[in-house]
Amino acid sequence: MKSKIFSPLIAGILIGIAGTLYLKTGGVVGAVMFAFGLLGVVCWKIDLFTGKSGFWSGRMILRLIPVLLLNIAGVAMVTLVTLTPEMAEAAGEITAKRMITPVWKLFLLSGFCGFIMTTAVQFGRQGNWWPLLFGVPAFILCGFPHCVADIAYWTAGIVNGMGIADILPIYLVTVAGNYAGCNLPRLIPGFLPDPASETRKAASTANS
């Protein structure tokens, strides 16, 4: 039970720290520093929504919901503690772009992010860290939405008076796009391990 709660919560905390680094630093340096979050997640082998969406199948898909919710809680907690006016201003520029992006384009951009994430995680599992080290700065600098990382920006927006009802539809499109993109590598024969074996492994870990 503890692993089910703390694994995704700690993953969210790591991404929250990465988001703080990016909002404080910005630019290429901030994007590179953001990679700390995903590096920590992969090294610790803990649960991140976009790190598991391309690997879990069957009943394990339902477990993605509490994983995402706990990821959100971890990111929001860090953001609320670290938030400064300068960070809020930087976050506001990002959320403003999300708000005016057409739904179809937001979905596709989020899909590109999901594709990068599964690619980075899969190669990271194999000990090849280059796709991860370059993939994270790539999706940030390209402006591809990431449903966990974006919580840092949306949390800053809520603190500054944004309404959850205005954010939620945009956020759900981001989640759907990330999920679709995370599963896109399945079209590449042999790229991902058998989803059934991944599901059994995850279930065994959860019950241990």
Side-chain angles (χ1 to χ4, degrees):
M1 177 60 70
K2 286 184 178 181
S3 64
K4 290 182 180 180
I5 295 175
F6 287 112
S7 173
L9 184 64
I10 293 172
I13 290 172
L14 282 167
I15 300 302
I17 293 171
T20 298
L21 282 167
Y22 178 64
L23 291 175
K24 282 182 172 291
T25 309
V28 175
V29 174
V32 172
M33 293 294 289
F34 198 106
F36 163 78
L38 187 55
L39 279 166
V41 168
V42 175
C43 287
W44 282 109
K45 299 179 181 180
I46 50 182
D47 296 343
L48 182 69
F49 177 82
T50 48
K52 297 298 183 183
S53 290
F55 299 92
W56 286 355
S57 64
R59 289 179 298 176
M60 289 302 295
I61 292 177
L62 296 177
R63 191 179 155 192
L64 288 171
I65 298 174
V67 165
L68 178 58
L69 293 176
L70 287 164
N71 288 165
I72 289 171
V75 176
M77 179 173 62
V78 173
T79 305
L80 289 171
V81 172
T82 61
L83 190 61
T84 64
E86 293 76 19
M87 289 173 58
E89 182 179 355
E93 295 177 3
I94 297 170
T95 55
K97 292 177 182 177
R98 301 280 195 267
M99 297 288 284
I100 64 173
T101 302
V103 170
W104 66 268
K105 187 174 182 179
L106 185 69
F107 179 84
L108 291 177
L109 293 174
S110 301
F112 297 150
C113 178
F115 178 78
I116 290 173
M117 289 295 294
T118 294
T119 302
V121 170
Q122 173 63 1
F123 282 108
R125 288 178 169 193
Q126 298 171 359
N128 184 351
W129 299 101
W130 293 112
L132 193 156
L133 290 171
F134 285 102
V136 173
F139 86 71
I140 293 175
L141 294 174
C142 288
F144 299 157
H146 184 290
C147 63
V148 180
D150 278 14
I151 291 299
Y153 318 141
W154 293 122
T155 298
I158 291 171
V159 170
N160 285 336
M162 291 183 69
I164 295 178
D166 296 324
I167 296 171
L168 189 59
I170 298 170
Y171 184 71
L172 292 177
V173 172
T174 301
V175 173
N178 281 169
Y179 181 81
C182 283
N183 284 276
L184 189 59
R186 293 193 182 281
L187 299 177
I188 306 173
F191 176 73
L192 293 179
D194 175 59
S197 65
E198 285 288 312
T199 298
R200 288 193 295 270
K201 186 189 298 182
S204 174
T205 301
N207 293 330
S208 61

